[in-house]
Amino acid sequence: MTATVIDGKAFAARVREKVGGHVARLKQEHGITPGLAVVLVGEDPASQVYVRSKGKMTVEVGMNSYEHKLDVDTAEADLLALIDTLNNDPAVHGILVQLPLPKHMNEDLVINAIDPAKDVDGFHISNVGLLGTGQKSMVPCTPLGCLMMLRDHHGSLSGMDAVVIGRSNIVGKPMAQLLLGESCTVTIAHSRTKDLADVVRRADIVVAAVGRPEMVPGDWIKKGATVIDVGINRIDAPEKGEGKTRLVGDCHYDSCAEKAGAITPVPGGVGPMTIACLLANTVTACSRANGLPEPEGLTV
Ligand code: NAP
């Protein structure tokens, strides 16, 4: 079998188009422009790239983008004061504090200072609790993107066996909650899981969110299963020339694609969906804040 490739790049473009359509309606019919504030503390190069592309795509879908760049030695109290200002700013519907924060800051304290209704990353403890109890919440962007692709590919996921490899708060745990919400039978695997290969072989859906290059080989994959590869790992690529690198996922793409029914590539799979879902969450937050109907198909 050769798997269907789930094209995250194309899917993300469709999500952004939907977001753009909803933004245009909010402007035209209600005079409201959704606004996303992104806060970056310090000069971590990867974070700078993420923040830049978030800002660019926010503007592209017609929303207002507010960027706040703070020095690496900013006091935690000053960051909390900025968050308080953004919480109270009616032009700001979504707030994202780019992680990781410098070591002198308490990430939990900072994230939990964001108004949960504006917490477009879905990391606030209230949103975690709401998701865990099956209530309306802001859903973390990466798992939301994975779920959108799974729903699009399968329609109903009810009764399917799903294995999520990884139990982080930003991917593994919320992914498992979402799949449970879809009535999958969910197993969460992690570094202490015994016989991981056997666990994965049971799965109709495998979501790999580990951060170990190509650790899932094709012979762990049940024939016809759907493989969602969240991992983004940079490895040496001497075949491309000296000192060159390339990106790979947590799954060994070629061998998994031989067994799977469908698979997301790396790059071009889950990655592009994450920013698209951030924009979707912002437009959802804006609609909720104004008591307007939520955009269809952009949230859980
Ligand atoms: P993380 O916080 O480091 O969590 C990794 C998880 O993998 C942990 O739960 C860990 O188990 C588990 N693990 C480690 N080694 C394992 C092994 N040998 N067998 C089974 N499980 C193992 O990572 P994360 O933030 O969730 O990110 C995971 C990957 O996704 C990374 O490559 C990251 O770059 C990528 N990512 C991509 C996007 C995107 O937009 N596409 C977004 C976020 C993350 P323990 O809990 O037992 O330590």
Side-chain angles (χ1 to χ4, degrees), residues 73-88:
D73 52 5
T74 298
E76 186 181 80
D78 290 337
L79 174 58
L80 293 173
L82 171 61
I83 291 173
D84 189 50
T85 304
L86 297 173
N87 282 344
N88 289 299

Side-chain angles (χ1 to χ4, degrees), residues 92-273:
V92 172
H93 304 95
I95 302 170
L96 180 147
V97 176
Q98 184 66 44
L99 301 178
L101 287 171
K103 294 225 171 347
H104 66 281
M105 291 188 176
N106 178 336
E107 272 184 12
D108 289 336
L109 185 79
V110 169
I111 296 305
N112 290 324
I114 298 172
D115 177 348
K118 297 189 178 187
D119 167 38
V120 280
D121 251 345
F123 296 161
H124 189 289
I125 193 72
S126 297
N127 282 314
V128 175
L130 289 168
L131 179 63
T133 49
Q135 299 179 71
K136 191 182 273 192
S137 64
M138 295 307 302
V139 179
C141 304
T142 300
L144 177 59
C146 296
L147 184 70
M148 281 183 186
M149 292 191 288
L150 282 167
R151 276 178 170 172
D152 183 69
H153 186 72
H154 286 284
S156 170
L157 307 179
S158 180
M160 296 176 92
D161 270 317
V163 172
V164 180
I165 318 176
R167 57 174 163 179
S168 71
N169 290 335
I170 64 165
V171 189
K173 283 182 196 154
M175 187 73 242
Q177 294 286 5
L178 289 172
L179 291 166
L180 198 56
E182 299 292 309
S183 298
C184 291
T185 303
V186 183
T187 304
I188 308 178
H190 47 76
S191 66
R192 310 291 172 88
T193 297
K194 284 187 199 151
D195 303 324
L196 182 60
D198 287 345
V199 172
V200 175
R201 276 189 195 111
R202 293 201 300 261
D204 304 308
I205 295 170
V206 180
V207 181
V210 181
R212 292 171 70 96
E214 302 179 322
M215 74 162 265
V216 177
D219 73 352
W220 290 13
I221 303 298
K222 179 161 114 179
K223 203 169 168 207
T226 299
V227 176
I228 305 289
D229 193 348
V230 181
I232 301 178
N233 310 289
R234 191 163 283 287
I235 61 167
D236 291 338
E239 72 281 4
K240 287 168 72 179
E242 208 188 303
K244 297 282 185 197
T245 60
R246 65 189 174 98
L247 290 181
V248 295
D250 290 341
C251 301
H252 184 269
Y253 184 81
D254 288 345
S255 61
C256 288
E258 270 176 33
K259 294 285 287 296
I263 188 167
T264 59
V266 178
V270 176
M273 286 297 286

